[in-house]
Amino acid sequence: MSIDALRRRRTARVVDAAVWGVPAITVAALAWLLADVVWHGAGQIDLAFLTTAPRSAGRAGGIAPMLVSTAIVVAIAVAVALPLAVGTAVLLVEVLPPSASAGRWIRRSLDILAGMPSIVFGLFGNLVFCTMLGMGFSLLSGGLTLACMVLPILMRAAEESLRGVPDGCRRGALALGMPRHRAITAVILPCGMPGIIDGLTLGVGRAMAETAALVFTSGYVDRMPSALTDSGRTLAVHVFDLSMNVTGGDRWAYATALVLIGLLLVTAGLLSLASRFLQRKGAHKP
Amino acid sequence: MTNLHAVAELHRPPVDEPGPAVPLIRARGVSVSYGARRVLGDVSLDIARGSVTALIGPSGCGKTSFLGCLNRMVDLIPRCRVTGELRLAGADLLDPTLDVVALRRRVGLIFQRPNPFPFSIRHNLDLPLREAGVRRKEPRAAAIERCLRAVGLWDEVHDRLDHAAGALSGGQQQRLCIARALLLDPEVLLMDEPCSALDPISGATVEALIGSLKERCTIVIVTHNLAQARRVADRCALFWLRDGIGTIVEQGTVGQIFHAPKSEITAAYVRGAVA
């Protein structure tokens, strides 16, 4: 075998190792993280943990109020941000001409918003929702702050998704004598729905995992909320509190983190199923 | 069915019904500009009710733009301006106050590439009917069956109406799109190279369909395929670029255009000597 051939073979091996090695490291990091959380947290989780209120600052009892608070805060964020995001995307893609400067400005502002550290959202939410609008530390303030935070993610996803709708569908709907608003609601939005749901997965993930923005807005109170104006503690804030402020709270922090990760995976799975179902329902042959 | 016709009538503006001698579509000096660029100039053409008219000619000479004027799809093109006189059964098609939604229900359009919506076959067909105000399920189902039969697709898809339309073959998709356009009982069906994105066998099926549709509506078809124009059309109009602007150089029956053309351009074009 010539030296050249040997060298080529060696190079190929190095490239192979790199190609397989990099994803292996990524997967290993995730596996390690999950294993660590499961190892330390799984022992604490049982039905009572999920259905009772915490006692002794979280060292005993469960996380039921946190589950409810998380669900409420995320639901508010999605309920507010999703229509705004889809509406803006429709405006940018379907109404404004591509060269409109208003569109450029909206997009630029949202990109800046997307890059903003979440602590800044926390301070903003605290000032605007808690203080200026008088909502105080409440699930409502927290949900609205998260809505501002996930808005750029949802908007960009919705915009990309609507842009990806084949022009044939758009023109086809209008050529069938559908008024423009019906073409949008009956054809274009359903066509773009899988992409919008994918964006929703990202947005919900970010909202569920958020702490900094919520510490200043929805607060710390670990009681079961009875109204949207009550303060409430989400799962992520509970993890933060247990690990930073509660001596001997580590195991419970891990257990809560495990529930949070599980919830994230289940939500992402369900949304991805919905997206795939919609895609299959209208699958185009490639 | 009665319901459907009633709906179609509702959208029809009250105009004098033309006699047999009056063309259904009458174009006089129609010009189209996109911004400062004029793409079509001084087009005059009569299209008789129940005929198949083929618009032939090389690419980029305004055939599709002219077709777009007939159902005002040109409105979607920014800075597009149409001048001249263009009438459908007497109604002014260039009237800025014209109800384009009602017009597009009277004048259907089939695109070059089949464009079924990414929904089920049934939903594709249900949608235009519901939009046109057919609320009850039975007349919708009856209309869907009637139109799928008209395009010869019923036997192929009747047992999988809830399957994705996108999973059909290209030819089936195009026939589905034709069925979808027929649901609203259009007076005119515009076809923009309906077979060019299809394989020859599917193309032949769609072409055969065009012949059978003649009885229900007037057809205007843009085609690059001269043999197809000769097979399906009653009349032809040859579009040509003059000084960078598209216009009609000759129009007449298929026999005249292909066997006794008056213009040298037409003679050369139908011989295949120029393109």
Side-chain angles (χ1 to χ4, degrees), chain B residues 13 62 65 130:
Chain B
S65 296
R130 273 198 296 212

Side-chain angles (χ1 to χ4, degrees), chain A residues 166-180 182 186-188 190-191 278-285, chain B residues 71 73 76 101 104-105 107-109 111 115-120 123 127-128 131 164 166-169 173 180-181 184:
Chain A
D167 212 34
C169 283
R170 198 169 276 120
R171 301 204 304 142
L174 295 171
L176 279 172
M178 288 168 80
R180 191 155 202 149
R182 285 297 298 154
V187 176
I188 297 167
C191 289
L278 287 174
Q279 258 162 354
R280 211 180 32 233
K281 216 171 128 194
H284 264 289
K285 247 188 176 177
Chain B
N71 69 347
M73 286 296 279
L76 304 182
V101 166
R104 288 172 190 160
R105 288 176 186 170
V107 182
L109 173 61
F111 294 80
N115 59 347
F117 302 133
F119 310 139
S120 69
H123 191 50
L127 206 56
E131 290 303 318
L168 296 173
S169 73
Q173 288 188 16
R180 193 173 65 180
L184 302 173

Side-chain angles (χ1 to χ4, degrees), chain A residues 105-282:
Chain A
W105 279 108
I106 294 174
R107 243 175 252 124
R108 199 167 294 167
S109 328
L110 284 164
D111 283 348
I112 294 171
L113 213 56
M116 201 74 86
S118 58
I119 190 81
V120 178
F121 279 102
L123 294 173
F124 164 81
N126 183 275
L127 181 73
V128 175
F129 300 121
C130 302
T131 312
M132 280 168 66
L133 296 177
M135 295 175 191
F137 279 91
S138 64
L139 296 174
L140 198 56
S141 300
L144 292 174
T145 307
L146 284 189
C148 299
M149 227 176 86
V150 298
L151 184 63
I153 302 175
L154 294 184
M155 211 295 289
R156 274 305 204 177
E159 188 194 354
E160 291 306 321
S161 182
L162 293 187
R163 268 194 212 291
V165 173
D167 212 34
C169 283
R170 198 169 276 120
R171 301 204 304 142
L174 295 171
L176 279 172
M178 288 168 80
R180 191 155 202 149
H181 70 276
R182 285 297 298 154
I184 291 172
T185 51
V187 176
I188 297 167
L189 279 179
C191 289
M193 204 42 87
I196 296 175
I197 292 180
D198 290 345
L200 191 62
T201 312
L202 282 176
V204 167
R206 177 140 191 221
M208 275 166 76
E210 185 51 42
T211 48
L214 291 175
V215 168
F216 292 104
T217 51
S218 61
Y220 260 82
V221 175
D222 62 2
R223 278 193 308 274
M224 181 65 84
S226 57
L228 293 184
T229 47
D230 280 0
S231 173
R233 186 191 286 194
T234 63
L235 288 169
V237 173
H238 192 52
V239 174
F240 170 74
D241 190 55
L242 284 174
S243 54
M244 301 303 287
N245 303 333
V246 179
T247 322
D250 281 2
R251 279 186 311 146
W252 306 98
Y254 271 113
T256 313
L258 183 56
V259 172
L260 180 58
I261 292 173
L263 218 53
L264 275 169
L265 291 178
V266 169
T267 315
L270 286 177
L271 286 171
S272 145
L273 270 182
S275 163
R276 240 183 299 168
F277 172 74
L278 287 174
Q279 258 162 354
R280 211 180 32 233
K281 216 171 128 194

